[in-house]
Amino acid sequence: MATLLFDYCVNLSKKIQGVSTSALQEFDASLLTCKREENGELLFALYADNKELSIWLPIKLRKLLTIHSNELKREQEGVRGEKTKSGLNIQTFPPGSNVHPIFETGCPELGRFGESIKVDIKSREDFDGILFALTKMFPDLEVRNTMDQKFKKNISEIVQQLRARKNVILCGAPGTGKTFSVAPAAVQLVDPSMDIEDRVGVIRKYRELVEKGRILFTTFHPSMDYEDFVEGFKPFRDGSFTIVDGIFKSICRRALREQNLLNDLRGSLATARNIVKVVLSGEEKEISSGKVVELNLYGNDPSQGLAKTNKKRETIFSSQISKGDVILSASGATSVNGIGIVISDSLTTDKTKFSVKWCYAGRPISVDDLCNKTEFNQGPSFEILPDFNREVLADRLDVPFLLVIDEINRGNVSKTFGELITLLEPDKRQFELSEVSVTLPYSKESFTVPSNLYILATMNTADRSIGSMDYALRRRFSFYRLVPYPVPSADFEKQLFQQVSAFFVEGVNEDLNTLRRSKYLSEDFKPEDVWVGQSYFFKEAGRNNISERFKFEIKPILEEYINDGVLKEDARGLLKAIEEHVEIQCSPQSR
């Protein structure tokens, strides 16, 4: 049976910045050890405190560790850390020398290591690197993927709905993870290769997409109107007025620009005489959509240009390339990160310089199945691909834009969208079969919604202070309901979650069809519309989590529910009992 590298070890990899001990808290003194089950041999020890994270191993494994971390370096361009041959900061400790005191009491097995090595972990890349090395050294070592599987399933289904329906509303009670789900869903929509388990990486990518204008975030409120959302007259200080594009029109313009570039590219793919792969270097690597660049086969020096093979091949290539040909910028052996069109014949008499307009620039697109081989030639910097599957590549071209609307039901949605409600339907978008355009009332422009624009909104089902959305808008959105559930994590207060859930359901499960209404819940409400969500029950570093979260966040919601008639009056007794239990649990005597 495989030796298990504890779930907490994987969870901890997401908490390396400002190291948190919460992932290891069930272990004495924050020490995690991994042993072979058949003979009890200690393979390594993981130590974490508020300042550092490190892995300790027997000295006999140093050579293997160096070899395998070097493998990683070759495969993934190295792991970050202090400069050593392996890319990791590896320190050697003789027996009894400079060993952290925790190992003397918390892990006496470490003493049997004899001379030991300590590997400091400074980043997520370091952590991934050491896991890579350990799994190479111990083939029977199992590294379990422990991300909340329910959450992963939710994100996958949300993205599927977005691609199919274009418009999705995440609905649910407070704390069910609606806003939390926006970033991973948005990133997965734009870049399906992104690992959503890396929350830090997801947020970094999300912010990058916001800065590039690919994602636009707004919050609806009762004062939001058509002039803010689509277009309207706005005053200047001198008293004059001008028509200003609103949030929706602005992102539609950006999405439409990319969509037109892709349509031009699709046309060129169908008619181009040549499909050409190039390997860019230097400033040429800075690819952006719409940018026009000059590709020089030679550069300033014949040895520095795109053409780096024999003269005969250079002549053949330069004589064949012409206006309308499609250029692929290789980002590896099997993918491209930029696609452009040659928009002018050779700019020089010897046909060595061509003007190219990039129509696609974004996440790498895999093309390993589009050639008559599995990989590009890695030798030459250019390569004509005579048997390239153009039709399939055209189908893979997509530059999604996403409008995120938080609290969509808090605005007057009909008033805000106006006549554009019809244009939201997938088949009414630009270039679709039933395309519809309208004339905007202020600018008098003809306006359509591009097919590469997606809308992801959130709706708090417990908020009854704002009128419900009308059926005209509901018909144009897919509704994805998020329901509270116990999260399998050491950071989750499962007992308190179950206690609070008793206000809404009898027994906690994820199947809406089998939920039984609690006797404390008013018959006017569905449990899934008001049931306090799981996000309120996660521990946070530096806080007395149970008492503070209950007293200042959970209890006020429950009291408000009772006052508003969501919960029946006899729920006060259960609320008092839970509060007393939390106080006892957090008292000094109980610690």
Side-chain angles (χ1 to χ4, degrees):
M1 183 176 180
T3 303
L4 177 65
L5 178 61
F6 293 100
D7 300 355
Y8 304 100
C9 196
V10 177
N11 288 336
L12 189 65
S13 70
K14 301 171 179 62
K15 306 181 183 194
I16 288 175
Q17 291 183 341
V19 175
S20 166
T21 60
S22 58
L24 298 177
Q25 65 178 356
E26 294 189 5
F27 297 88
D28 291 341
S30 300
L31 182 68
L32 176 68
T33 60
C34 188
K35 303 177 182 179
R36 288 189 185 276
E37 296 175 357
E38 60 271 19
N39 57 18
E41 177 191 3
L42 185 64
L43 303 179
F44 62 87
L46 175 71
Y47 172 76
D49 64 16
N50 288 326
K51 298 179 180 178
E52 64 177 13
L53 178 65
S54 54
I55 290 181
W56 293 68
L57 307 99
I59 190 66
K60 63 182 180 180
L61 298 178
R62 177 167 187 155
K63 183 176 181 181
L64 288 173
L65 176 64
T66 303
I67 291 171
H68 293 308
S69 57
N70 274 330
E71 279 187 46
L72 179 74
K73 190 172 184 179
R74 286 193 297 272
E75 292 187 12
Q76 300 181 0
E77 296 183 355
V79 287
R80 298 173 190 167
E82 296 183 27
K83 299 295 183 182
T84 64
K85 289 182 179 180
S86 65
L88 293 170
N89 180 20
I90 301 176
Q91 305 170 51
T92 304
F93 293 91
S97 170
N98 296 322
V99 176
H100 197 289
I102 189 61
F103 295 113
E104 297 177 0
T105 56
C107 185
E109 299 100 324
L110 193 69
R112 293 198 287 272
F113 273 4
E115 192 170 2
S116 306
I117 57 173
K118 174 189 176 187
V119 184
D120 290 336
I121 299 174
K122 305 292 185 184
S123 67
R124 169 68 189 264
E125 288 79 5
D126 286 355
F127 192 89
D128 291 342
I130 199 69
L131 289 188
F132 176 89
L134 288 170
T135 53
K136 286 281 188 176
M137 287 188 280
F138 309 114
D140 63 343
L141 184 64
E142 175 188 346
V143 181
R144 182 184 298 173
N145 181 347
T146 60
M147 186 180 186
D148 179 0
Q149 296 302 311
K150 172 68 173 174
F151 179 74
K152 288 182 70 175
K153 180 184 177 184
N154 286 347
I155 298 302
S156 176
E157 291 178 347
I158 291 167
V159 174
Q160 288 176 10
Q161 284 297 306
L162 272 172
R163 290 183 177 137
R165 292 285 299 155
K166 305 287 188 182
N167 315 307
V168 173
I169 292 178
L170 307 181
C171 56
T176 48
K178 299 182 294 297
T179 304
F180 187 83
S181 300
V182 165
V187 169
Q188 275 277 288
L189 174 71
V190 175
D191 185 359
S193 65
M194 185 71 190
D195 178 14
I196 64 170
E197 295 186 41
D198 180 6
R199 182 70 184 180
V200 174
V202 165
I203 297 301
R204 186 184 299 116
K205 182 69 173 179
Y206 179 84
R207 290 172 178 166
E208 175 188 320
L209 292 168
V210 170
E211 290 175 1
K212 290 181 177 180
R214 296 278 299 279
I215 297 175
L216 196 155
F217 183 96
T218 188
T219 301
F220 271 16
H221 52 83
S223 298
M224 175 80 77
D225 57 19
Y226 184 92
E227 285 71 21
D228 297 318
F229 193 64
V230 184
E231 67 171 15
F233 283 105
K234 299 295 180 182
F236 284 128
R237 289 184 178 180
D238 62 4
S240 63
F241 286 80
T242 188
I243 298 173
V244 176
D245 291 345
I247 296 165
F248 185 67
K249 187 179 175 184
S250 296
I251 194 169
C252 281
R253 280 186 180 279
R254 293 196 293 269
L256 181 59
R257 174 179 172 274
E258 294 291 340
Q259 190 73 358
N260 288 334
L261 285 171
L262 292 184
N263 285 335
D264 290 344
L265 181 54
R266 291 187 180 98
S268 292
L269 280 168
T271 60
R273 185 174 64 170
N274 292 315
I275 307 295
V276 183
K277 178 223 70 173
V278 301
V279 177
L280 303 181
S281 60
E283 294 181 0
E284 292 169 340
K285 281 189 172 182
E286 301 302 319
I287 298 173
S288 60
S289 62
K291 183 178 180 181
V292 177
V293 299
E294 291 182 359
L295 295 186
N296 191 344
L297 292 181
Y298 297 99
N300 296 325
D301 184 323
S303 65
Q304 299 301 316
L306 291 175
K308 296 180 182 177
T309 53
N310 60 67
K311 185 67 177 177
K312 179 179 178 181
R313 186 160 187 171
E314 294 166 6
T315 304
I316 293 173
F317 178 75
S318 61
S319 65
Q320 288 184 342
I321 192 169
S322 61
K323 184 178 180 179
D325 285 351
V326 173
I327 304 293
L328 310 181
S329 169
S331 61
T334 60
S335 62
V336 297
N337 65 345
I339 309 174
I341 306 171
V342 177
I343 59 174
S344 71
D345 289 323
S346 176
L347 304 177
T348 55
T349 56
D350 59 352
K351 295 185 177 182
T352 59
K353 186 183 291 187
F354 301 87
S355 186
V356 175
K357 181 178 182 179
W358 296 116
C359 296
Y360 174 85
R363 66 177 181 84
I365 299 176
S366 175
V367 293
D368 61 343
D369 57 338
L370 303 187
C371 304
N372 59 355
K373 53 196 173 188
T374 58
E375 294 185 355
F376 292 134
N377 286 336
Q378 295 301 293
S381 294
F382 63 83
E383 179 182 7
I384 294 177
L385 308 171
D387 300 321
F388 196 84
N389 192 325
R390 308 169 182 218
E391 293 79 10
V392 175
L393 178 61
D395 291 339
R396 293 180 183 178
L397 296 175
D398 185 29
V399 182
F401 283 72
L402 182 69
L403 174 62
V404 179
I405 304 175
D406 200 24
E407 304 285 358
I408 190 171
N409 58 316
R410 289 190 57 82
N412 186 332
V413 179
S414 298
K415 177 184 176 183
T416 304
F417 277 92
E419 75 278 11
L420 302 187
I421 287 180
T422 301
L423 277 61
L424 296 181
E425 297 181 40
D427 66 328
K428 304 296 193 302
R429 304 289 187 94
Q430 189 182 42
F431 305 122
E432 298 298 336
L433 182 63
S434 302
E435 176 186 334
V436 174
S437 63
V438 299
T439 300
L440 297 177
Y442 296 101
S443 64
K444 305 304 179 183
E445 296 176 3
S446 178
F447 182 80
T448 58
V449 175
S451 59
N452 61 333
L453 177 70
Y454 299 81
I455 300 176
L456 180 61
T458 68
M459 184 173 75
N460 187 347
T461 53
D463 187 355
R464 293 167 65 92
S465 62
I466 303 297
S468 59
M469 296 169 59
D470 61 34
Y471 288 108
L473 194 69
R474 282 183 174 273
R475 187 168 62 84
R476 290 166 172 87
F477 277 84
S478 175
F479 285 75
Y480 190 90
R481 183 177 291 277
L482 294 170
V483 183
Y485 64 96
V487 180
S489 169
D491 294 335
F492 187 72
E493 293 283 1
K494 185 175 180 180
Q495 184 180 20
L496 182 59
F497 171 76
Q498 292 174 330
Q499 291 173 330
V500 172
S501 296
F503 287 102
F504 309 97
V505 295
E506 293 183 3
V508 178
N509 63 75
E510 301 170 26
D511 186 354
L512 287 177
N513 297 320
T514 61
L515 284 176
R516 292 178 296 168
R517 175 188 298 274
S518 168
K519 64 179 181 180
Y520 300 104
L521 182 64
S522 168
E523 286 74 15
D524 296 333
F525 296 86
K526 296 180 180 179
E528 60 269 25
D529 284 344
V530 292
W531 181 3
V532 176
Q534 65 277 5
S535 68
Y536 286 97
F537 301 91
F538 279 95
K539 303 167 187 175
E540 294 180 6
R543 299 180 58 183
N544 185 348
N545 289 281
I546 298 176
S547 62
E548 288 187 8
R549 299 221 76 174
F550 182 81
K551 182 177 180 180
F552 298 112
E553 299 177 38
I554 301 171
K555 180 183 174 184
I557 294 176
L558 298 175
E559 289 177 331
E560 195 69 23
Y561 277 173
I562 295 173
N563 295 336
D564 289 345
V566 177
L567 296 176
K568 298 177 181 178
E569 191 63 31
D570 58 355
R572 295 189 188 276
L574 178 59
L575 179 58
K576 184 174 180 58
I578 295 175
E579 185 175 18
E580 291 174 351
H581 179 266
V582 170
E583 289 178 354
I584 293 172
Q585 194 174 12
C586 296
S587 66
Q589 292 81 3
S590 65
R591 295 175 188 168

